[in-house]
Structure formats: C-alpha cells, structure tokens
Amino acid sequence: MADRGQGRDGQHPHNLQGLLHMAIEAGTEPGTTHQTEQLSEERRQWLQQAMSSAFAGQVDEVQQMKECLQELSTETSDGDGDEKKQQALELLADLCENLDNAADFCKLGGMELLVTRYLSCPEASLRWRAADLIGICSQNVAFVQEAALCLGAMNKHLQLLDFDSCETVRIKALFAISCLVREQEAGLAEFVKLDGFSVLMRAMQSDILKLKIKSAFLLQNILTSHPAHKGTLCSMGMVQQLVSLLRTEHSPFHEHVLCALCSLVSDFPQGVAECQAPELALEELLKERCQLVQKQEEFQEELEYCERLLKICFQDIPEDNGMDR
C-alpha cells in the first residue's frame, strides 16, 4: 500500500498529505481519550512546526502573487522589463493551478489587469501568456469565470482567435475560450451571442494544424454537452462546412471533423437530412475514405467515425470494411 507521504520505519511524513494523515490517525487510534496522548513531545513539536510551515507557504504564495501583480502594473519600455513581466506571468500560471490561488488572484485585481491591458499589449509573448493565465485561472472556477466574462474576456479572446498575427496567441486564446464556456452557461451564452461558432469554423479553416484540431474538439464538446445548439449550427450551414473540410488534403485533423459531424447528426433528424443532400455526395465520400484508411492502424478512429456516419445517415456500411482488421 502507499505510505501516504510518511517516511519508512516510523519516520516523520515528508509532505502535507502525510502530515494530515498522521494527524488524523493520531486522533482516531483506539484505546486513548485525547490526541495529545498519542504524540510524543518530539512529534508534537514537529507537527506544530510543520503545520506552521504549511500555512506560511500559503501566505508566501499570496505574497508572490502580489509581487507579480506589482511588476505587471509597472510601465516599462525596454526588453528587460518585458522579460520580467513574462517571468511574472509564468510564475502566476504555476501558482494559479491551485484553485484557491486562482480565486485570490482574481480578488487581487489580477483578472482585470490581464483583460484590460495584457490581452491587447503589443508584445505577442505577453499576449499569449496572459490568455494562457486567464484560461488556467478560469478552469472549473465559477467565480473567476464570471469575473472574466464581466470584464469582456470572451469578446477579446474571440478577436485574438480570429485575427491575431501570432499562432501561439490564437491557440492560447482558444484555450481560454474553452475554459470560459466549460460548465458555465453564461460563458456559452456569451460565446453564442458573439457568433463564436463562426469564429471556430474559421479557425478550422486555418493552416495551423493544432488550432484546427483544438477548434474541432471544442465544437464537438459543445455539441455533446449542449445538444440544443444543433439547430443553430445547422442553420449556419455547419454540415456543409464540415463536409467541405473533409474534402481537403487528408490529415489527422479529419478524425476530429468526423467526430464533430457524428455529434451533430446523432439523435438529430435535421442534421441527418442535411447530410443526405445529394449535392454533398457525402455517402460516396465516406465510402472512399473507409477504403483509404481501413488498413492503416493510425486511422482506425477515423474509420469508426466514417462507419458510424454511414450507419446513421445512410443505413449502410461498406462491404469488407471489417476484413483484415
């Protein structure tokens, strides 16, 4: 069994998890009335010091965030100042992986500083780090998501995703967008209101493979978790757009397009009907794709999506598809 952070042969724990486990065990062992009876004087002193250090560590992290924000708040116009700001953003990104720190960062005014200043600063290295930090802070923290949305973060990130000249900025902006809509109804509503689906489609039509894949993945995720938007997407011509992407030069990106298309048509007759439009010639395309990838191990998921679409939309799976597999 795992030692839960405790040292071997009764040595003191070497991390906070082990410390807490020791404290729990000391208070729950049978045969004693008081926790103090469980601990020798040496272990009691060690526990007190360790707890003090743990709480001091939390205070130190808040202080570190304050110092980073102070650096980010200063005006600089030289390369050395930009480098210090990059370092501050990187340290904050590490600290804000902790959800409590992310909330504290927001309360300290960090989110406002990022959205109002750093998402639009001239240096791409600062823009992408700011977008990345906003995404990290917003992951599954409703308070932070709401604060970012109130500051107009969704619109700014959509603009960066759509128009920024730096590839990394666009990718990090998409990451932040996905964090702002995840488990956040207000974020998704803002995304839809600002025509975010069209922005996603344009990202999928870019020549940046990583951006294309991540955009298709976000589209598929939204379709799965919020199927009510399928009608909106069909009315925008999303089926036709996705099929046109499948007709581009074959790449790993197509697996994600097919996955999104499967999500769009599943339990949705309107989507199925659009896939059946003769002018799309989708059935022929899917059968050709099955023949192309059926014996290539790296494309097996793509093959499965093709077969699923054929079954849903055309009630047909190509003959011999299961052969030699």
Side-chain angles (χ1 to χ4, degrees), residues 98-115:
N98 178 301
L99 301 186
D100 291 334
N101 284 344
D104 286 338
F105 171 76
C106 194
K107 293 172 185 175
L108 290 169
M111 184 61 68
E112 182 176 4
L113 184 63
L114 294 178
V115 175

Side-chain angles (χ1 to χ4, degrees), residues 2 16 19 22 28 33-34 40 97 101-102 105 121 136 145 183 186 192 208 213 235 239 252 278 281 300 307 319:
L16 186 55
L19 168 64
M22 188 193 80
T28 57
T33 305
H34 300 291
S40 67
E97 292 284 358
N101 284 344
F105 171 76
C121 68
I136 289 170
Q145 291 171 328
E183 303 298 329
V192 174
I208 305 169
I213 290 173
S235 68
V239 168
Q300 289 310 291
E307 292 175 342
E319 294 182 5

